[in-house]
């Protein structure tokens, strides 16, 4: 998980989690940007949501790759 607070823009925080293909290679990412005051207040909840989304997409990619002939 990558996190940045106020690095590129004042009062904007972002986080991103990798999406992996069936070989484990990173092929994309899920990211979220929010005002920093909201980020600080809900950091744990947001972190869990971003990781869960990335994991779900990664699992679907792996499943769809396994289903191909």
């Amino acid at each position: 998980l990558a996190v940045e607070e106020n690095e590129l823009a004042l009062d904007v925080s972002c986080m991103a989690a990798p999406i992996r293909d069936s070989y484990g290679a990173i092929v994309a990412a899920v990211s979220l940007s929010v005002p920093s005051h909201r980020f600080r207040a809900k950091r744990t909840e947001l972190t869990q949501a971003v990781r869960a989304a990335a994991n779900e997409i990664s699992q679907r990619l792996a499943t769809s790759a396994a289903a191909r002939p």
Side-chain angles (χ1 to χ4, degrees):
L1 186 73
V3 176
E4 71 90 359
E5 293 188 57
N6 303 308
E7 288 180 21
L8 297 176
L10 186 61
D11 197 37
V12 176
S13 296
C14 307
M15 66 173 53
I19 295 173
R20 298 178 183 274
D21 66 11
S22 59
Y23 299 103
I26 297 171
V27 295
V30 171
S31 66
L32 173 72
S33 299
V34 296
S36 292
H37 68 278
R38 290 185 188 166
F39 181 79
R40 287 188 293 273
K42 297 191 175 230
R43 184 176 180 140
T44 300
E45 181 181 338
L46 295 172
T47 298
Q48 291 172 348
V50 169
R51 282 187 173 150
N55 288 339
E56 175 70 20
I57 295 167
S58 295
Q59 290 174 359
R60 288 178 182 228
L61 278 176
T63 301
S64 67
R68 288 186 211 138

Short mmCIF file of all heavy atoms in Angstrom, two decimals:
data_model
loop_
_atom_site.label_atom_id
_atom_site.label_comp_id
_atom_site.label_asym_id
_atom_site.label_seq_id
_atom_site.Cartn_x
_atom_site.Cartn_y
_atom_site.Cartn_z
N LEU A 1 0.85 -1.17 0.00
CA LEU A 1 0.00 0.00 0.00
C LEU A 1 0.89 1.23 0.00
O LEU A 1 1.82 1.32 0.79
CB LEU A 1 -0.89 -0.02 1.23
CG LEU A 1 -1.95 1.06 1.32
CD1 LEU A 1 -3.07 0.79 0.34
CD2 LEU A 1 -2.51 1.12 2.72
N ALA A 2 0.60 2.15 -0.89
CA ALA A 2 1.33 3.42 -0.94
C ALA A 2 0.42 4.52 -0.41
O ALA A 2 -0.77 4.56 -0.72
CB ALA A 2 1.74 3.74 -2.37
N VAL A 3 0.99 5.41 0.39
CA VAL A 3 0.23 6.50 0.99
C VAL A 3 1.00 7.79 0.84
O VAL A 3 2.23 7.81 0.98
CB VAL A 3 -0.02 6.22 2.50
CG1 VAL A 3 -0.74 7.39 3.15
CG2 VAL A 3 -0.81 4.94 2.69
N GLU A 4 0.30 8.87 0.56
CA GLU A 4 0.91 10.20 0.56
C GLU A 4 -0.09 11.20 1.13
O GLU A 4 -1.28 11.09 0.89
CB GLU A 4 1.40 10.61 -0.84
CG GLU A 4 0.35 10.92 -1.84
CD GLU A 4 -0.09 12.38 -1.87
OE1 GLU A 4 0.40 13.20 -1.09
OE2 GLU A 4 -0.96 12.68 -2.67
N GLU A 5 0.43 12.10 1.94
CA GLU A 5 -0.40 13.13 2.54
C GLU A 5 0.19 14.50 2.20
O GLU A 5 1.32 14.80 2.57
CB GLU A 5 -0.47 12.96 4.05
CG GLU A 5 -1.22 11.71 4.48
CD GLU A 5 -1.44 11.66 5.98
OE1 GLU A 5 -2.02 12.60 6.53
OE2 GLU A 5 -0.99 10.67 6.58
N ASN A 6 -0.59 15.30 1.51
CA ASN A 6 -0.22 16.68 1.20
C ASN A 6 1.08 16.82 0.41
O ASN A 6 1.72 17.86 0.47
CB ASN A 6 -0.13 17.51 2.49
CG ASN A 6 -1.41 17.49 3.28
OD1 ASN A 6 -2.47 17.77 2.74
ND2 ASN A 6 -1.32 17.14 4.55
N GLU A 7 1.48 15.81 -0.33
CA GLU A 7 2.73 15.89 -1.09
C GLU A 7 2.55 16.63 -2.41
O GLU A 7 3.39 17.44 -2.79
CB GLU A 7 3.29 14.49 -1.36
CG GLU A 7 3.86 13.84 -0.12
CD GLU A 7 4.42 12.46 -0.39
OE1 GLU A 7 4.73 12.15 -1.56
OE2 GLU A 7 4.52 11.68 0.56
N LEU A 8 1.49 16.34 -3.13
CA LEU A 8 1.27 16.96 -4.44
C LEU A 8 0.31 18.13 -4.39
O LEU A 8 0.36 19.01 -5.24
CB LEU A 8 0.78 15.93 -5.45
CG LEU A 8 1.76 14.79 -5.74
CD1 LEU A 8 1.13 13.76 -6.67
CD2 LEU A 8 3.04 15.34 -6.36
N ALA A 9 -0.58 18.12 -3.41
CA ALA A 9 -1.55 19.20 -3.28
C ALA A 9 -1.89 19.39 -1.80
O ALA A 9 -2.00 18.41 -1.05
CB ALA A 9 -2.82 18.88 -4.06
N LEU A 10 -2.05 20.61 -1.40
CA LEU A 10 -2.38 20.93 -0.02
C LEU A 10 -3.76 20.38 0.31
O LEU A 10 -4.71 20.53 -0.47
CB LEU A 10 -2.35 22.45 0.17
CG LEU A 10 -2.53 22.95 1.59
CD1 LEU A 10 -1.41 22.41 2.48
CD2 LEU A 10 -2.53 24.46 1.61
N ASP A 11 -3.86 19.74 1.46
CA ASP A 11 -5.11 19.16 1.97
C ASP A 11 -5.68 18.05 1.10
O ASP A 11 -6.88 17.83 1.05
CB ASP A 11 -6.17 20.24 2.23
CG ASP A 11 -7.29 19.71 3.14
OD1 ASP A 11 -6.99 18.93 4.07
OD2 ASP A 11 -8.45 20.04 2.89
N VAL A 12 -4.82 17.34 0.38
CA VAL A 12 -5.25 16.17 -0.39
C VAL A 12 -4.34 15.00 -0.02
O VAL A 12 -3.12 15.12 -0.06
CB VAL A 12 -5.19 16.42 -1.91
CG1 VAL A 12 -5.56 15.15 -2.67
CG2 VAL A 12 -6.11 17.56 -2.30
N SER A 13 -4.95 13.89 0.34
CA SER A 13 -4.20 12.67 0.66
C SER A 13 -4.66 11.55 -0.27
O SER A 13 -5.81 11.51 -0.69
CB SER A 13 -4.43 12.26 2.11
OG SER A 13 -3.93 13.24 2.98
N CYS A 14 -3.74 10.65 -0.58
CA CYS A 14 -4.02 9.56 -1.50
C CYS A 14 -3.45 8.26 -0.97
O CYS A 14 -2.50 8.26 -0.19
CB CYS A 14 -3.38 9.84 -2.86
SG CYS A 14 -3.78 11.43 -3.56
N MET A 15 -4.02 7.18 -1.43
CA MET A 15 -3.46 5.86 -1.17
C MET A 15 -3.74 4.98 -2.37
O MET A 15 -4.68 5.23 -3.12
CB MET A 15 -4.01 5.24 0.11
CG MET A 15 -5.46 4.91 0.09
SD MET A 15 -6.02 4.00 1.56
CE MET A 15 -5.45 5.01 2.88
N ALA A 16 -2.90 3.98 -2.56
CA ALA A 16 -3.07 3.06 -3.69
C ALA A 16 -2.59 1.67 -3.29
O ALA A 16 -1.66 1.53 -2.49
CB ALA A 16 -2.28 3.55 -4.89
N ALA A 17 -3.24 0.67 -3.84
CA ALA A 17 -2.86 -0.73 -3.63
C ALA A 17 -2.72 -1.40 -4.99
O ALA A 17 -3.48 -1.11 -5.91
CB ALA A 17 -3.90 -1.45 -2.79
N PRO A 18 -1.73 -2.29 -5.12
CA PRO A 18 -1.50 -2.93 -6.41
C PRO A 18 -2.54 -3.98 -6.77
O PRO A 18 -3.09 -4.65 -5.91
CB PRO A 18 -0.13 -3.60 -6.22
CG PRO A 18 -0.07 -3.89 -4.76
CD PRO A 18 -0.79 -2.75 -4.10
N ILE A 19 -2.78 -4.09 -8.07
CA ILE A 19 -3.60 -5.17 -8.63
C ILE A 19 -2.62 -6.08 -9.34
O ILE A 19 -1.81 -5.63 -10.14
CB ILE A 19 -4.65 -4.63 -9.61
CG1 ILE A 19 -5.64 -3.75 -8.85
CG2 ILE A 19 -5.34 -5.77 -10.34
CD1 ILE A 19 -6.62 -3.04 -9.74
N ARG A 20 -2.70 -7.36 -9.03
CA ARG A 20 -1.75 -8.34 -9.57
C ARG A 20 -2.45 -9.31 -10.52
O ARG A 20 -3.61 -9.65 -10.32
CB ARG A 20 -1.08 -9.10 -8.45
CG ARG A 20 -0.27 -8.19 -7.54
CD ARG A 20 0.36 -8.96 -6.38
NE ARG A 20 1.07 -8.06 -5.50
CZ ARG A 20 2.32 -7.66 -5.66
NH1 ARG A 20 3.03 -8.13 -6.67
NH2 ARG A 20 2.89 -6.84 -4.79
N ASP A 21 -1.70 -9.76 -11.52
CA ASP A 21 -2.24 -10.77 -12.43
C ASP A 21 -2.04 -12.16 -11.83
O ASP A 21 -1.59 -12.30 -10.70
CB ASP A 21 -1.63 -10.64 -13.83
CG ASP A 21 -0.15 -10.96 -13.89
OD1 ASP A 21 0.42 -11.49 -12.91
OD2 ASP A 21 0.45 -10.67 -14.95
N SER A 22 -2.36 -13.18 -12.60
CA SER A 22 -2.28 -14.55 -12.09
C SER A 22 -0.85 -15.00 -11.79
O SER A 22 -0.64 -15.99 -11.11
CB SER A 22 -2.94 -15.52 -13.08
OG SER A 22 -2.29 -15.45 -14.34
N TYR A 23 0.15 -14.26 -12.29
CA TYR A 23 1.55 -14.58 -12.02
C TYR A 23 2.11 -13.76 -10.85
O TYR A 23 3.27 -13.91 -10.48
CB TYR A 23 2.41 -14.33 -13.26
CG TYR A 23 2.00 -15.17 -14.43
CD1 TYR A 23 1.25 -14.63 -15.47
CD2 TYR A 23 2.33 -16.53 -14.49
CE1 TYR A 23 0.85 -15.41 -16.54
CE2 TYR A 23 1.93 -17.31 -15.55
CZ TYR A 23 1.19 -16.75 -16.57
OH TYR A 23 0.79 -17.53 -17.64
N GLY A 24 1.29 -12.87 -10.31
CA GLY A 24 1.73 -12.03 -9.21
C GLY A 24 2.37 -10.72 -9.64
O GLY A 24 2.79 -9.93 -8.81
N ALA A 25 2.41 -10.48 -10.94
CA ALA A 25 2.98 -9.24 -11.45
C ALA A 25 1.97 -8.10 -11.27
O ALA A 25 0.77 -8.28 -11.46
CB ALA A 25 3.34 -9.37 -12.92
N ILE A 26 2.46 -6.94 -10.90
CA ILE A 26 1.59 -5.78 -10.75
C ILE A 26 1.22 -5.27 -12.14
O ILE A 26 2.10 -4.97 -12.96
CB ILE A 26 2.28 -4.68 -9.92
CG1 ILE A 26 2.54 -5.19 -8.50
CG2 ILE A 26 1.43 -3.41 -9.90
CD1 ILE A 26 3.39 -4.28 -7.65
N VAL A 27 -0.08 -5.18 -12.40
CA VAL A 27 -0.55 -4.76 -13.71
C VAL A 27 -1.40 -3.49 -13.66
O VAL A 27 -1.69 -2.89 -14.69
CB VAL A 27 -1.36 -5.88 -14.40
CG1 VAL A 27 -0.46 -7.09 -14.70
CG2 VAL A 27 -2.55 -6.30 -13.56
N ALA A 28 -1.79 -3.07 -12.46
CA ALA A 28 -2.62 -1.87 -12.29
C ALA A 28 -2.65 -1.54 -10.80
O ALA A 28 -1.97 -2.18 -10.00
CB ALA A 28 -4.03 -2.12 -12.82
N ALA A 29 -3.46 -0.56 -10.45
CA ALA A 29 -3.62 -0.19 -9.05
C ALA A 29 -5.01 0.39 -8.82
O ALA A 29 -5.65 0.90 -9.74
CB ALA A 29 -2.57 0.82 -8.63
N VAL A 30 -5.46 0.29 -7.59
CA VAL A 30 -6.67 0.97 -7.13
C VAL A 30 -6.18 2.14 -6.29
O VAL A 30 -5.32 1.96 -5.42
CB VAL A 30 -7.55 0.05 -6.27
CG1 VAL A 30 -8.67 0.83 -5.62
CG2 VAL A 30 -8.09 -1.09 -7.08
N SER A 31 -6.71 3.33 -6.57
CA SER A 31 -6.28 4.49 -5.78
C SER A 31 -7.48 5.26 -5.27
O SER A 31 -8.59 5.17 -5.81
CB SER A 31 -5.36 5.40 -6.60
OG SER A 31 -6.08 5.97 -7.67
N LEU A 32 -7.23 6.03 -4.24
CA LEU A 32 -8.25 6.84 -3.60
C LEU A 32 -7.63 8.16 -3.20
O LEU A 32 -6.54 8.17 -2.61
CB LEU A 32 -8.80 6.12 -2.37
CG LEU A 32 -9.77 6.88 -1.47
CD1 LEU A 32 -11.11 7.02 -2.18
CD2 LEU A 32 -9.92 6.18 -0.15
N SER A 33 -8.30 9.26 -3.51
CA SER A 33 -7.86 10.59 -3.09
C SER A 33 -8.99 11.25 -2.33
O SER A 33 -10.14 11.22 -2.77
CB SER A 33 -7.51 11.45 -4.31
OG SER A 33 -6.46 10.88 -5.04
N VAL A 34 -8.65 11.82 -1.17
CA VAL A 34 -9.66 12.47 -0.33
C VAL A 34 -9.04 13.69 0.34
O VAL A 34 -7.82 13.78 0.47
CB VAL A 34 -10.20 11.51 0.76
CG1 VAL A 34 -10.94 10.34 0.16
CG2 VAL A 34 -9.10 11.03 1.67
N PRO A 35 -9.89 14.60 0.82
CA PRO A 35 -9.35 15.70 1.62
C PRO A 35 -8.62 15.14 2.84
O PRO A 35 -9.06 14.15 3.44
CB PRO A 35 -10.60 16.48 2.03
CG PRO A 35 -11.62 16.17 0.99
CD PRO A 35 -11.33 14.73 0.61
N SER A 36 -7.51 15.73 3.20
CA SER A 36 -6.67 15.19 4.27
C SER A 36 -7.39 15.05 5.59
O SER A 36 -7.15 14.10 6.34
CB SER A 36 -5.42 16.05 4.44
OG SER A 36 -4.60 15.93 3.30
N HIS A 37 -8.29 15.97 5.93
CA HIS A 37 -8.99 15.84 7.21
C HIS A 37 -9.87 14.59 7.25
O HIS A 37 -9.99 13.95 8.29
CB HIS A 37 -9.80 17.11 7.54
CG HIS A 37 -10.97 17.34 6.64
ND1 HIS A 37 -10.83 17.94 5.39
CD2 HIS A 37 -12.28 17.06 6.79
CE1 HIS A 37 -12.02 18.01 4.83
NE2 HIS A 37 -12.91 17.48 5.64
N ARG A 38 -10.45 14.22 6.14
CA ARG A 38 -11.23 12.97 6.08
C ARG A 38 -10.31 11.76 6.12
O ARG A 38 -10.63 10.73 6.71
CB ARG A 38 -12.08 12.93 4.82
CG ARG A 38 -13.22 13.89 4.83
CD ARG A 38 -14.08 13.72 3.63
NE ARG A 38 -15.08 14.78 3.57
CZ ARG A 38 -15.79 15.06 2.52
NH1 ARG A 38 -15.65 14.35 1.41
NH2 ARG A 38 -16.66 16.04 2.54
N PHE A 39 -9.18 11.88 5.45
CA PHE A 39 -8.21 10.77 5.42
C PHE A 39 -7.74 10.44 6.83
O PHE A 39 -7.71 9.28 7.22
CB PHE A 39 -7.03 11.18 4.53
CG PHE A 39 -5.98 10.12 4.39
CD1 PHE A 39 -6.18 9.06 3.53
CD2 PHE A 39 -4.80 10.18 5.11
CE1 PHE A 39 -5.20 8.07 3.39
CE2 PHE A 39 -3.84 9.21 4.98
CZ PHE A 39 -4.04 8.15 4.12
N ARG A 40 -7.36 11.46 7.57
CA ARG A 40 -6.86 11.22 8.94
C ARG A 40 -7.94 10.61 9.82
O ARG A 40 -7.67 9.73 10.64
CB ARG A 40 -6.33 12.51 9.54
CG ARG A 40 -5.01 12.95 8.94
CD ARG A 40 -4.42 14.14 9.69
NE ARG A 40 -5.21 15.35 9.52
CZ ARG A 40 -5.08 16.21 8.53
NH1 ARG A 40 -4.18 15.99 7.58
NH2 ARG A 40 -5.82 17.29 8.47
N ALA A 41 -9.18 11.05 9.65
CA ALA A 41 -10.28 10.57 10.49
C ALA A 41 -10.66 9.12 10.20
O ALA A 41 -11.11 8.40 11.09
CB ALA A 41 -11.50 11.47 10.31
N LYS A 42 -10.46 8.67 8.96
CA LYS A 42 -10.91 7.33 8.56
C LYS A 42 -9.81 6.51 7.91
O LYS A 42 -10.09 5.63 7.09
CB LYS A 42 -12.10 7.45 7.60
CG LYS A 42 -13.30 8.10 8.24
CD LYS A 42 -14.51 7.95 7.36
CE LYS A 42 -15.70 8.50 8.09
NZ LYS A 42 -16.81 7.60 8.09
N ARG A 43 -8.58 6.76 8.27
CA ARG A 43 -7.45 6.10 7.61
C ARG A 43 -7.55 4.58 7.63
O ARG A 43 -7.36 3.93 6.61
CB ARG A 43 -6.14 6.56 8.24
CG ARG A 43 -4.94 5.99 7.53
CD ARG A 43 -3.65 6.53 8.10
NE ARG A 43 -2.52 5.96 7.41
CZ ARG A 43 -1.45 6.63 7.08
NH1 ARG A 43 -1.33 7.90 7.40
NH2 ARG A 43 -0.47 6.05 6.45
N THR A 44 -7.85 4.00 8.77
CA THR A 44 -7.93 2.53 8.87
C THR A 44 -9.02 1.98 7.97
O THR A 44 -8.81 1.02 7.23
CB THR A 44 -8.17 2.11 10.33
OG1 THR A 44 -7.08 2.58 11.13
CG2 THR A 44 -8.26 0.60 10.46
N GLU A 45 -10.18 2.59 8.02
CA GLU A 45 -11.32 2.14 7.20
C GLU A 45 -11.01 2.27 5.70
O GLU A 45 -11.28 1.36 4.92
CB GLU A 45 -12.54 2.98 7.54
CG GLU A 45 -13.79 2.63 6.80
CD GLU A 45 -14.95 3.53 7.17
OE1 GLU A 45 -14.94 4.13 8.26
OE2 GLU A 45 -15.87 3.62 6.34
N LEU A 46 -10.43 3.39 5.31
CA LEU A 46 -10.08 3.61 3.91
C LEU A 46 -9.01 2.63 3.44
O LEU A 46 -9.08 2.10 2.33
CB LEU A 46 -9.63 5.05 3.68
CG LEU A 46 -10.70 6.12 3.93
CD1 LEU A 46 -10.08 7.51 3.86
CD2 LEU A 46 -11.85 5.98 2.95
N THR A 47 -8.02 2.39 4.29
CA THR A 47 -6.95 1.45 3.96
C THR A 47 -7.52 0.06 3.71
O THR A 47 -7.17 -0.60 2.73
CB THR A 47 -5.90 1.39 5.09
OG1 THR A 47 -5.31 2.68 5.23
CG2 THR A 47 -4.83 0.36 4.82
N GLN A 48 -8.39 -0.37 4.59
CA GLN A 48 -9.01 -1.69 4.43
C GLN A 48 -9.83 -1.77 3.15
O GLN A 48 -9.79 -2.78 2.45
CB GLN A 48 -9.88 -2.01 5.64
CG GLN A 48 -9.08 -2.25 6.90
CD GLN A 48 -9.95 -2.37 8.15
OE1 GLN A 48 -11.14 -2.06 8.13
NE2 GLN A 48 -9.34 -2.82 9.24
N ALA A 49 -10.55 -0.70 2.82
CA ALA A 49 -11.39 -0.70 1.61
C ALA A 49 -10.54 -0.75 0.34
O ALA A 49 -10.86 -1.50 -0.59
CB ALA A 49 -12.29 0.53 1.60
N VAL A 50 -9.47 0.02 0.30
CA VAL A 50 -8.61 0.03 -0.89
C VAL A 50 -7.92 -1.32 -1.06
O VAL A 50 -7.87 -1.87 -2.16
CB VAL A 50 -7.59 1.19 -0.82
CG1 VAL A 50 -6.53 1.07 -1.90
CG2 VAL A 50 -8.31 2.52 -0.93
N ARG A 51 -7.41 -1.87 0.03
CA ARG A 51 -6.77 -3.20 -0.06
C ARG A 51 -7.77 -4.27 -0.48
O ARG A 51 -7.46 -5.12 -1.31
CB ARG A 51 -6.16 -3.58 1.29
CG ARG A 51 -4.86 -2.91 1.55
CD ARG A 51 -4.22 -3.45 2.81
NE ARG A 51 -2.88 -2.90 2.94
CZ ARG A 51 -2.30 -2.69 4.10
NH1 ARG A 51 -2.91 -2.98 5.23
NH2 ARG A 51 -1.08 -2.20 4.15
N ALA A 52 -8.98 -4.22 0.08
CA ALA A 52 -10.00 -5.21 -0.26
C ALA A 52 -10.37 -5.12 -1.74
O ALA A 52 -10.52 -6.15 -2.41
CB ALA A 52 -11.23 -5.03 0.61
N ALA A 53 -10.51 -3.91 -2.25
CA ALA A 53 -10.85 -3.74 -3.67
C ALA A 53 -9.74 -4.28 -4.56
O ALA A 53 -10.01 -5.00 -5.53
CB ALA A 53 -11.10 -2.26 -3.97
N ALA A 54 -8.49 -3.96 -4.23
CA ALA A 54 -7.37 -4.45 -5.04
C ALA A 54 -7.28 -5.98 -4.99
O ALA A 54 -7.05 -6.62 -6.01
CB ALA A 54 -6.06 -3.83 -4.55
N ASN A 55 -7.48 -6.54 -3.82
CA ASN A 55 -7.44 -8.01 -3.69
C ASN A 55 -8.55 -8.67 -4.47
O ASN A 55 -8.34 -9.69 -5.13
CB ASN A 55 -7.51 -8.42 -2.22
CG ASN A 55 -6.23 -8.12 -1.48
OD1 ASN A 55 -5.17 -7.97 -2.08
ND2 ASN A 55 -6.32 -7.99 -0.16
N GLU A 56 -9.74 -8.10 -4.43
CA GLU A 56 -10.88 -8.67 -5.16
C GLU A 56 -10.63 -8.64 -6.67
O GLU A 56 -10.85 -9.64 -7.37
CB GLU A 56 -12.15 -7.88 -4.83
CG GLU A 56 -13.37 -8.30 -5.63
CD GLU A 56 -13.92 -9.67 -5.27
OE1 GLU A 56 -13.62 -10.17 -4.17
OE2 GLU A 56 -14.64 -10.25 -6.11
N ILE A 57 -10.15 -7.53 -7.16
CA ILE A 57 -9.85 -7.43 -8.60
C ILE A 57 -8.74 -8.41 -8.98
O ILE A 57 -8.83 -9.08 -10.01
CB ILE A 57 -9.49 -5.99 -8.98
CG1 ILE A 57 -10.70 -5.07 -8.77
CG2 ILE A 57 -8.99 -5.91 -10.42
CD1 ILE A 57 -10.37 -3.60 -8.82
N SER A 58 -7.72 -8.50 -8.15
CA SER A 58 -6.62 -9.44 -8.42
C SER A 58 -7.12 -10.87 -8.48
O SER A 58 -6.73 -11.64 -9.38
CB SER A 58 -5.54 -9.32 -7.33
OG SER A 58 -4.93 -8.05 -7.36
N GLN A 59 -7.99 -11.25 -7.56
CA GLN A 59 -8.54 -12.61 -7.56
C GLN A 59 -9.37 -12.86 -8.80
O GLN A 59 -9.30 -13.93 -9.40
CB GLN A 59 -9.38 -12.84 -6.30
CG GLN A 59 -8.55 -12.92 -5.04
CD GLN A 59 -9.39 -13.00 -3.78
OE1 GLN A 59 -10.62 -12.96 -3.83
NE2 GLN A 59 -8.72 -13.08 -2.64
N ARG A 60 -10.13 -11.87 -9.22
CA ARG A 60 -10.95 -12.04 -10.43
C ARG A 60 -10.07 -12.16 -11.68
O ARG A 60 -10.38 -12.94 -12.58
CB ARG A 60 -11.93 -10.89 -10.58
CG ARG A 60 -13.05 -10.95 -9.58
CD ARG A 60 -13.99 -9.78 -9.72
NE ARG A 60 -15.01 -9.85 -8.71
CZ ARG A 60 -16.30 -9.70 -8.95
NH1 ARG A 60 -16.73 -9.48 -10.19
NH2 ARG A 60 -17.17 -9.77 -7.97
N LEU A 61 -8.99 -11.40 -11.71
CA LEU A 61 -8.05 -11.54 -12.84
C LEU A 61 -7.45 -12.94 -12.88
O LEU A 61 -7.35 -13.54 -13.93
CB LEU A 61 -6.92 -10.51 -12.72
CG LEU A 61 -7.20 -9.11 -13.20
CD1 LEU A 61 -6.00 -8.21 -12.91
CD2 LEU A 61 -7.50 -9.09 -14.68
N ALA A 62 -7.06 -13.43 -11.71
CA ALA A 62 -6.45 -14.77 -11.66
C ALA A 62 -7.47 -15.83 -12.06
O ALA A 62 -7.13 -16.76 -12.80
CB ALA A 62 -5.93 -15.04 -10.25
N THR A 63 -8.71 -15.68 -11.63
CA THR A 63 -9.75 -16.64 -11.96
C THR A 63 -10.06 -16.62 -13.45
O THR A 63 -10.21 -17.67 -14.08
CB THR A 63 -11.03 -16.34 -11.15
OG1 THR A 63 -10.72 -16.41 -9.77
CG2 THR A 63 -12.12 -17.33 -11.48
N SER A 64 -10.14 -15.41 -14.02
CA SER A 64 -10.46 -15.34 -15.44
C SER A 64 -9.31 -15.86 -16.30
O SER A 64 -9.53 -16.47 -17.34
CB SER A 64 -10.82 -13.91 -15.86
OG SER A 64 -9.71 -13.06 -15.76
N ALA A 65 -8.08 -15.67 -15.85
CA ALA A 65 -6.93 -16.20 -16.59
C ALA A 65 -6.90 -17.72 -16.53
O ALA A 65 -6.59 -18.38 -17.52
CB ALA A 65 -5.63 -15.64 -16.02
N ALA A 66 -7.29 -18.29 -15.40
CA ALA A 66 -7.30 -19.75 -15.25
C ALA A 66 -8.40 -20.38 -16.10
O ALA A 66 -8.28 -21.52 -16.53
CB ALA A 66 -7.49 -20.13 -13.79
N ALA A 67 -9.47 -19.63 -16.35
CA ALA A 67 -10.59 -20.16 -17.13
C ALA A 67 -10.33 -20.14 -18.62
O ALA A 67 -11.04 -20.79 -19.39
CB ALA A 67 -11.85 -19.37 -16.81
N ARG A 68 -9.32 -19.42 -19.07
CA ARG A 68 -9.03 -19.36 -20.50
C ARG A 68 -8.38 -20.65 -20.98
O ARG A 68 -7.57 -21.24 -20.28
CB ARG A 68 -8.07 -18.20 -20.79
CG ARG A 68 -8.72 -16.87 -20.65
CD ARG A 68 -7.79 -15.78 -21.08
NE ARG A 68 -8.09 -14.59 -20.29
CZ ARG A 68 -7.21 -13.77 -19.77
NH1 ARG A 68 -5.94 -13.97 -19.95
NH2 ARG A 68 -7.59 -12.74 -19.09
N PRO A 69 -8.73 -21.04 -22.20
CA PRO A 69 -8.13 -22.30 -22.73
C PRO A 69 -6.68 -22.12 -23.10
O PRO A 69 -6.14 -21.11 -23.29
CB PRO A 69 -8.96 -22.58 -23.97
CG PRO A 69 -9.75 -21.36 -24.27
CD PRO A 69 -9.71 -20.47 -23.07
#
